[in-house]
């Protein structure tokens, strides 16, 4: 294992025009029965299968994906990674993920292109300053590397930014140097390859049509490739989670909305960090190809169409152009939408439910990518042990009846 | 981009409106008798179907009046607009064209609305 990629293998395969690398994972037909079925072949789902096989020694696992691996929000996000959330519970969860990110390329022997280029959260008014400084202080108490930068320090980091001559001037920012970006497809592919090596069946182009239960106990899933039996099912289907939950008679406090992103034509390096602004709603980073990766907001209504409205993009681009006047004449190459599942308190649900053997990892809303390894890791623990890891215990479904909400509206990437 | 026909002003761009979430959610008459679970259900849980959805909109940059809309969330097609004091239209009024529970073709995760 893990011998697939080395300098020797690169040299060897280059001699045969890279034609003989082989498939990264098998393409098996589903078996009749699995110990655990994971619904959703994105980063979170594949990661869950990987950690279940690696840390918990369970081998008879299937990951069932409606399309191709990473075809949902794993391949649609703006790849920002950070952990500067306000509350303790969130800081532990998201920083658990950042710590795993830091070693993920090595762990999977697959290049995640994880680049800790730092993340800035801009403040544009007095309220922003107070809110962000409070968050910086909370972060520091939790051992995170967040710091407050004044306007001049922000300008030093991002010289192209227009800090003064605009309607909402830049007054400062929170900065987390350990934050950054990673290659989104690599996350899905890396986890898929290593999970497959450990015996996990990855079943693509197979839609789960419903979850079959009997007397509050799961029996299996009905799919386009027939019924598959299992006594434990983990649902990690982002925007479609509530649709699947409904087939098992479970209601979740989720609303699905389109979230859009866009990329520009590639240009020479101009911005070497990630800059986010909640107040004017603009966030931008530059990919290794040179494209600006721009995240827009969610549409103001529920929808499952992976498009979104133009007014949302217009608003974001307007803010980007004002913050970075030199981008004013750039062309945007592509725009797309993904369906995100938004929770009332802007925090995820990683939890058991009333149905025995049914587990949910959902509600990541607009910012699930950053948490992929951490989320997968604690979700695997939850499924294997049938009880939450101490990191995800506060993210239980029961918080919507006992009132222990984890309100991260202020720290979530997109105001919603 | 959606065109919404406000029952008072006529057809306008969606950006003139604000969405008010699910329609016909009734506040419990006896909150003091409800369990925490039931109260939480009322406060936080809303239907989120991929398909026919009853929802509220307000013409915030126009007449500022609230009204209800029936929309297919898998295609964004608006099926009916009606005033708040009108009766909730029956589900059978609308032909549900979804091909699978998640509303998409059995193979691939492409967009149903665009593919059509």
């Amino acid at each position: 294992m893990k011998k697939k990629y080395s300098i020797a293998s690169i040299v060897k395969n280059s001699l045969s025009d890279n034609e003989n690398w082989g498939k990264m994972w098998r393409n098996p037909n589903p078996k009749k029965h699995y110990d655990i079925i994971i619904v959703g072949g994105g980063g979170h789902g594949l990661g869950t299968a990987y950690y279940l096989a690696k840390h918990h020694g369970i081998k008879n696992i299937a990951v069932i994906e409606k399309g191709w691996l990473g075809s949902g929000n794993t391949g649609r996000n703006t790849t920002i990674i950070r952990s500067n959330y306000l509350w303790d519970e969130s800081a532990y969860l998201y920083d658990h993920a950042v710590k795993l990110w830091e070693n993920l390329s090595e762990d999977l022997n697959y290049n995640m292109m994880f680049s800790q280029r730092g993340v800035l959260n801009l403040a544009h008014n007095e309220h922003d300053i107070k809110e962000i400084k409070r968050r910086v202080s909370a972060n520091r108490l939790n051992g995170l590397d967040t710091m407050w930068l004044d306007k001049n320090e922000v300008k030093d980091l991002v010289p192209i930014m227009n800090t003064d001559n605009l309607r909402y001037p830049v007054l400062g920012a929170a900065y987390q140097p350990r934050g950054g970006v990673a290659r989104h497809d690599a996350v899905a592919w890396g986890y898929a390859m290593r999970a497959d090596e450990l015996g996990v069946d990855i079943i693509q182009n197979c839609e789960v049509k419903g979850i079959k239960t009997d007397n509050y106990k799961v029996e299996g899933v009905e799919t386009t490739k027939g019924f598959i039996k299992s006594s434990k099912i983990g649902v990690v289907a982002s925007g479609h989670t509530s649709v699947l939950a409904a087939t098992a008679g479970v209601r979740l406090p989720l609303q699905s909305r389109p979230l859009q992103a866009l990329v520009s034509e590639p240009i020479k390096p101009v911005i070497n960090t990630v800059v986010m602004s909640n107040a004017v709603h603009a966030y931008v980073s530059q990919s290794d190809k040179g494209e600006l990766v721009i995240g827009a907001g969610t549409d103001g209504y529920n929808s499952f169409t992976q498009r979104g409205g133009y007014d949302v993009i217009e608003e974001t681009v307007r803010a980007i152009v004002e913050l970075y006047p030199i981008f004013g004449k750039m062309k945007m190459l592509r725009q797309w939408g993904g369906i995100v599942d938004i929770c009332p308190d802007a925090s995820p649900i990683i939890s058991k439910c009333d149905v025995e053997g049914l587990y949910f990892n959902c509600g990541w809303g607009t910012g699930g990518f950053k948490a992929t390894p951490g989320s997968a890791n604690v979700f695997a623990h939850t499924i294997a042990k049938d009880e939450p890891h101490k990191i995800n215990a506060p993210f239980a479904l029961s918080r919507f009846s006992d009132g222990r909400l984890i309100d991260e509206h202020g720290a979530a990437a997109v105001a919603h | 981009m959606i065109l919404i026909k406000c029952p008072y002003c006529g057809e306008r761009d969606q950006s003139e409106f604000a969405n008010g979430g699910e329609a016909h959610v009734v506040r419990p008459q006896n909150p003091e008798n409800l369990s925490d679970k039931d109260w939480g259900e009322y406060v936080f849980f809303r239907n989120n179907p991929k398909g026919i959805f009853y929802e509220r909109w307000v013409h915030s940059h126009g007449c500022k009046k609230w009204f209800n809309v029936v929309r297919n969330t898998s295609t964004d097609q608006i099926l009916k607009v009606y005033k708040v004091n009108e009766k909730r239209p029956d589900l059978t009024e609308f032909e549900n064209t979804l091909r699978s529970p998640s509303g998409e073709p059995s193979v691939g995760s492409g967009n149903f609305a665009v593919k059509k």
Side-chain angles (χ1 to χ4, degrees):
Chain A
M1 202 189 115
K2 298 205 176 175
K3 284 180 186 157
K4 241 175 187 163
Y5 301 111
S6 63
I7 287 177
S9 71
I10 289 171
V11 172
K12 189 175 147 230
N13 280 287
S14 69
L15 296 175
S16 54
D17 275 350
N18 290 311
E19 295 276 340
N20 299 320
W21 277 104
K23 294 264 193 282
M24 285 172 70
W25 51 81
R26 299 165 294 130
N27 199 9
N29 279 319
K31 290 191 257 179
K32 291 260 179 293
H33 169 262
Y34 288 95
D35 292 344
I36 297 174
I37 291 176
I38 304 293
V39 184
H44 292 252
L46 292 162
T48 305
Y50 169 73
Y51 290 117
L52 276 168
K54 193 182 176 214
H55 293 169
H56 303 283
I58 302 163
K59 305 292 178 192
N60 190 22
I61 305 172
V63 177
I64 303 180
E65 165 58 42
K66 178 168 67 176
W68 62 95
L69 298 187
S71 58
N73 295 344
T74 298
R76 291 167 192 266
N77 64 83
T78 51
T79 78
I80 297 169
I81 293 163
R82 63 191 173 90
S83 61
N84 54 354
Y85 280 69
L86 175 66
W87 301 107
D88 297 354
E89 297 87 346
S90 318
Y92 297 152
L93 177 63
Y94 289 101
D95 209 51
H96 180 52
V98 171
K99 283 176 190 150
L100 286 168
W101 275 116
E102 285 170 337
N103 289 312
L104 199 58
S105 296
E106 203 168 312
D107 183 25
L108 300 175
N109 187 23
Y110 195 74
N111 190 359
M112 295 291 145
M113 295 167 73
F114 180 46
S115 158
Q116 291 180 297
R117 57 183 68 179
V119 174
L120 284 164
N121 288 82
L122 301 182
H124 298 272
N125 54 45
E126 196 59 36
H127 173 79
D128 279 0
I129 293 177
K130 287 184 174 153
E131 167 73 32
I132 289 177
K133 279 190 174 171
R134 176 189 178 208
R135 185 139 64 92
V136 169
S137 305
N139 288 168
R140 297 191 75 86
L141 286 172
N142 280 322
L144 303 181
D145 57 330
T146 319
M147 59 187 95
W148 169 259
L149 302 185
D150 67 25
K151 185 183 82 183
N152 294 328
E153 290 168 312
V154 173
K155 188 86 182 168
D156 283 347
L157 270 177
V158 190
I160 59 166
M161 192 188 293
N162 172 18
T163 49
D164 297 296
N165 186 24
L166 70 172
R167 185 171 173 186
Y168 299 105
V170 177
L171 304 174
Y175 182 51
Q176 188 182 20
R178 281 165 68 236
V181 291
R183 168 110 167 90
H184 47 15
D185 290 329
V187 182
W189 298 339
Y191 274 132
M193 180 172 61
R194 298 309 173 199
D196 180 77
E197 276 177 4
L198 294 169
V200 173
D201 279 0
I202 296 164
I203 299 154
Q204 300 182 69
N205 290 321
C206 176
E207 182 182 5
V208 171
K209 294 197 284 189
I211 298 164
K212 197 168 170 231
T213 59
D214 181 41
N215 199 18
Y216 289 95
K217 212 172 161 195
V218 294
E219 294 200 318
V221 290
E222 197 61 62
T223 75
T224 46
K225 292 185 179 172
F227 181 73
I228 307 173
K229 221 176 131 188
S230 182
S231 56
K232 283 187 174 183
I233 297 167
V235 182
V236 206
S238 67
H240 284 78
T241 305
S242 38
V243 176
L244 283 164
T247 66
V250 176
R251 254 162 85 84
L252 295 170
L254 301 174
Q255 298 284 287
S256 298
R257 293 187 164 187
L259 175 65
Q260 297 181 79
L262 49 160
V263 293
S264 73
E265 57 191 330
I267 53 168
K268 287 186 177 175
V270 287
I271 185 162
N272 64 356
T273 183
V274 181
V275 190
M276 317 175 49
S277 165
N278 277 10
V280 298
H281 206 289
Y283 53 104
V284 65
S285 64
Q286 192 170 15
S287 74
D288 293 349
K289 273 191 284 185
E291 300 162 330
L292 296 177
V293 182
I294 296 170
T298 50
D299 280 70
Y301 50 87
N302 290 9
S303 175
F304 289 80
T305 61
Q306 290 172 319
R307 291 174 294 183
Y310 268 115
D311 52 327
V312 177
I313 304 177
E314 207 178 338
E315 200 177 303
T316 292
V317 171
R318 203 186 293 148
I320 294 277
V321 170
E322 186 144 285
L323 271 175
Y324 313 95
I326 68 160
F327 295 159
K329 290 193 173 169
M330 281 183 76
K331 292 181 178 68
M332 291 299 148
L333 284 191
R334 299 188 299 281
Q335 162 272 340
W336 63 92
I339 304 304
V340 298
D341 45 341
I342 291 172
C343 227
D345 60 355
S347 285
I349 298 166
I350 312 172
S351 177
K352 305 203 285 183
C353 69
D354 291 341
V355 178
E356 195 186 325
L358 187 57
Y359 307 86
F360 289 100
N361 184 352
C362 58
W364 288 97
T366 56
F369 178 75
K370 64 174 81 70
T372 306
S375 139
N377 188 277
V378 295
F379 192 46
H381 183 282
T382 308
I383 296 176
K385 311 271 186 216
D386 194 37
E387 61 181 57
H389 188 279
K390 65 174 191 273
I391 290 178
N392 70 310
F395 295 89
L397 196 51
S398 60
R399 72 178 191 268
F400 297 100
S401 49
D402 64 25
R404 291 179 186 275
L405 301 185
I406 304 162
D407 181 4
E408 287 292 359
H409 284 281
V414 176
H416 55 248
Chain B
M1 205 162 266
I2 304 177
L3 280 179
I4 299 174
K5 193 172 179 187
C6 169
Y8 307 95
C9 311
E11 212 162 61
R12 300 293 174 87
D13 188 272
Q14 167 261 316
S15 56
E16 285 190 18
F17 299 84
N19 183 280
E22 190 181 5
H24 306 292
V25 177
V26 181
R27 191 179 200 277
Q29 297 295 307
N30 52 342
E32 68 279 8
N33 298 330
L34 290 186
S35 65
D36 287 351
K37 198 169 182 338
D38 289 342
W39 183 248
E41 184 86 12
Y42 162 67
V43 175
F44 298 114
F45 289 67
R46 294 291 179 268
N47 288 331
N48 185 28
K50 182 167 185 170
I52 310 294
F53 188 48
Y54 297 82
E55 61 184 355
R56 306 188 306 150
W57 286 84
V58 57
H59 195 179
S60 36
H61 295 285
C63 63
K64 298 197 165 49
K65 286 194 177 106
W66 285 89
F67 56 92
N68 292 336
V69 168
V70 183
R71 186 168 55 92
N72 183 343
T73 59
S74 73
T75 59
D76 279 348
Q77 187 189 4
I78 291 179
L79 303 166
K80 188 161 190 169
V81 177
Y82 56 105
K83 295 179 183 170
V84 277
N85 55 0
E86 285 174 46
K87 203 171 155 275
R88 172 193 172 119
D90 195 67
L91 201 60
T92 52
E93 258 190 54
F94 315 102
E95 191 200 357
N96 194 335
T97 51
L98 305 185
R99 299 184 220 175
S100 68
S102 73
E104 290 187 23
S106 53
V107 171
S109 83
N111 190 309
F112 175 54
V114 174
K115 273 188 171 178
K116 201 170 65 169

